[in-house]
Amino acid sequence: LKISPCDLERMPQRYRAHFINSLTGFKSANLLGTISASGVTNLAMISSAFHLGADPALLGFICRPPSVPRHSLINLRETGFFTLNHCHETIFRQAHQTSARYPRTVSEFAATGLTEEYSDTHPAPYVAESRIKLGLKSLEEITIQRNETVLVIGEIVEVLLPEDTLGEDGHVHIELAESLCVSGLDHYHQTHSLGRLPYAKP
Amino acid sequence: LKISPCDLERMPQRYRAHFINSLTGFKSANLLGTISASGVTNLAMISSAFHLGADPALLGFICRPPSVPRHSLINLRETGFFTLNHCHETIFRQAHQTSARYPRTVSEFAATGLTEEYSDTHPAPYVAESRIKLGLKSLEEITIQRNETVLVIGEIVEVLLPEDTLGEDGHVHIELAESLCVSGLDHYHQTHSLGRLPYAKP
């Protein structure tokens, strides 16, 4: 089946959102944890976190156009720190539920029954139920003019993970921690390892 | 296990690359197809493609610092078009092999035994063996000063996919096409669906 620019043009908005969101392939499933200056926590499911560099340890994620209220982004600007927490099978329904539009005074932790956890060394809330958790410092926002999305760049400053997932060479076996992936807007998947491949040489 | 900023600092370069690359979660597994102005094709495995917006249909991917030769990026600049082709189990070893450092005069299609395929309406080469294939136009490069990576933004202008993967609401069942995901630098995974969840309301 071949979808042309005309076909794309004719797609109704919701259909198009499902279709285009499916095309890049599988995406990471993370809960973004933040806290406002006045101490209200926020939790938001994001599937756009991506690796940006190992040294310094950077990642990026995308926030929608500012016309949509983005409590996480407001909190980030107020406090400068956030967490990313991998989703696994036991919590993915609650994780998905954080995408509902709660008012800013409501914490998605309370609304979905997930538990706040704090490290002595990081101000933003972790998700206690999550197994692989990253503490990050917000470094920069880059506005992508073309569609008014915001790329947030964060530096990983602390990592909490189960000891048995950390391999000898530094590789983290996130499948052992039962981390999930997402396709499209709402489809969740477990993984099954096909193995690691050696460094490729010509 | 808690990894502190000091622990991160002390990690040897290769260990650190494996570690940090694992942390964002599962990543998409795509083959990036390009062609130079003089007609030499190039194929590169990338795990950084991410959704940027549905209308216009935009996605982004990350290219490493310019100190490393990036033939794909040079081709993109010369011709303005590229393709992304989902990896599946039958071709992931060949896909991984494209990451070896071949000289620019060598096409990774020929070197890895994957087959070039052309659409009448798109100048960049698709991977015939792939099941879900996107034709894109390069719109913009954003250099991320902090680590000199380049974010390439492309618009999806054509999509080739098996008819039975396209759902009624526009969702593409990429697991049915056996698309894979990657963790870290070299770990490949199949997926197993946990199902789709309804649009979340408070």
Side-chain angles (χ1 to χ4, degrees):
Chain A
L1 187 63
K2 180 167 165 176
I3 309 288
S4 71
C6 286
D7 297 330
L8 285 172
E9 199 77 35
R10 276 196 299 260
M11 287 180 180
Q13 190 192 354
R14 197 75 198 150
Y15 185 99
R16 184 185 177 97
H18 280 294
F19 183 70
I20 303 295
N21 266 280
S22 305
L23 296 179
T24 46
F26 289 105
K27 303 183 281 187
S28 52
N30 285 294
L31 282 162
L32 168 63
T34 55
I35 186 164
S36 72
S38 61
V40 182
T41 56
N42 187 285
L43 203 53
M45 179 70 197
I46 64 165
S47 61
S48 65
F50 61 93
H51 175 77
L52 203 49
D55 193 8
L58 303 182
L59 59 74
F61 70 90
I62 300 293
C63 269
R64 304 264 200 80
S67 57
V68 186
R70 303 304 290 171
H71 303 151
S72 307
L73 195 55
I74 300 169
N75 290 351
L76 255 178
R77 286 172 182 161
E78 286 181 2
T79 65
F81 291 90
F82 62 105
T83 68
L84 286 176
N85 308 267
H86 285 208
C87 294
H88 56 77
E89 193 183 347
T90 318
I91 61 169
F92 82 100
R93 288 183 180 78
Q94 287 158 290
H96 186 76
Q97 181 59 31
T98 62
S99 62
R101 296 196 182 197
Y102 296 103
R104 194 171 176 219
T105 49
V106 171
S107 168
E108 288 80 4
F109 279 99
T112 64
L114 291 166
T115 313
E116 295 177 22
E117 178 184 286
Y118 291 90
S119 142
D120 292 345
T121 40
H122 198 71
Y126 290 103
V127 176
E129 290 83 356
S130 180
R131 292 173 192 147
I132 297 183
K133 313 172 207 195
L134 320 181
L136 299 108
K137 187 177 167 182
S138 175
L139 294 184
E140 195 178 344
E141 285 180 21
I142 296 174
T143 299
I144 294 169
Q145 302 298 343
R146 210 164 278 279
N147 66 356
E148 291 188 302
T149 50
V150 176
L151 164 60
V152 178
I153 298 178
E155 180 171 359
I156 300 171
V157 293
E158 113 180 351
V159 183
L160 309 172
L161 79 173
E163 201 155 351
D164 62 357
T165 59
L166 182 54
E168 264 182 24
D169 64 353
H171 180 76
V172 183
H173 290 266
I174 63 174
E175 184 174 294
L176 275 184
E178 299 183 314
S179 295
L180 300 182
C181 57
V182 190
S183 66
L185 290 170
D186 52 22
H187 199 160
Y188 292 83
H189 310 256
Q190 287 176 315
T191 65
H192 171 70
S193 174
L194 293 169
R196 296 178 66 185
L197 293 182
Y199 187 81
K201 287 170 190 164
Chain B
L1 186 64
K2 179 168 165 177
I3 309 287
S4 71
C6 287
D7 298 330
L8 285 172
E9 197 77 35
R10 275 196 299 258
M11 287 180 180
Q13 189 192 352
R14 196 74 198 152
Y15 186 100
R16 184 184 177 98
H18 280 294
F19 183 71
I20 302 295
N21 266 281
S22 306
L23 296 180
T24 45
F26 290 104
K27 303 182 281 187
S28 53
N30 284 295
L31 281 163
L32 168 63
T34 55
I35 186 165
S36 72
S38 60
V40 182
T41 55
N42 187 284
L43 203 53
M45 178 72 197
I46 63 165
S47 61
S48 65
F50 61 93
H51 176 79
L52 203 49
D55 194 7
L58 302 182
L59 59 75
F61 71 90
I62 300 293
C63 271
R64 304 266 198 80
S67 56
V68 186
R70 302 304 291 171
H71 303 152
S72 306
L73 195 54
I74 300 170
N75 290 351
L76 256 179
R77 286 173 182 159
E78 285 182 2
T79 66
F81 291 90
F82 61 105
T83 68
L84 287 176
N85 307 268
H86 284 209
C87 294
H88 56 78
E89 194 183 346
T90 317
I91 61 169
F92 82 101
R93 287 182 181 81
Q94 288 158 290
H96 186 76
Q97 181 60 30
T98 63
S99 63
R101 296 195 183 198
Y102 295 104
R104 197 174 174 215
T105 49
V106 172
S107 168
E108 288 80 5
F109 280 99
T112 64
L114 291 166
T115 312
E116 296 178 20
E117 178 184 286
Y118 291 90
S119 142
D120 293 343
T121 39
H122 199 69
Y126 290 103
V127 176
E129 291 82 355
S130 179
R131 291 173 194 149
I132 297 182
K133 316 174 206 195
L134 320 181
L136 299 108
K137 186 177 168 181
S138 175
L139 294 183
E140 194 179 342
E141 286 180 21
I142 296 175
T143 299
I144 294 169
Q145 300 299 342
R146 210 164 277 279
N147 66 356
E148 293 189 299
T149 49
V150 176
L151 163 60
V152 177
I153 298 178
E155 180 170 0
I156 300 171
V157 293
E158 119 179 344
V159 183
L160 308 173
L161 78 173
E163 201 154 353
D164 62 358
T165 60
L166 182 55
E168 263 181 25
D169 64 352
H171 180 76
V172 184
H173 290 267
I174 62 174
E175 184 175 294
L176 274 184
E178 299 183 312
S179 296
L180 300 182
C181 57
V182 189
S183 66
L185 290 170
D186 52 22
H187 200 161
Y188 293 82
H189 310 256
Q190 288 176 314
T191 64
H192 171 71
S193 173
L194 292 170
R196 297 179 66 186
L197 294 181
Y199 187 82
K201 287 171 191 164

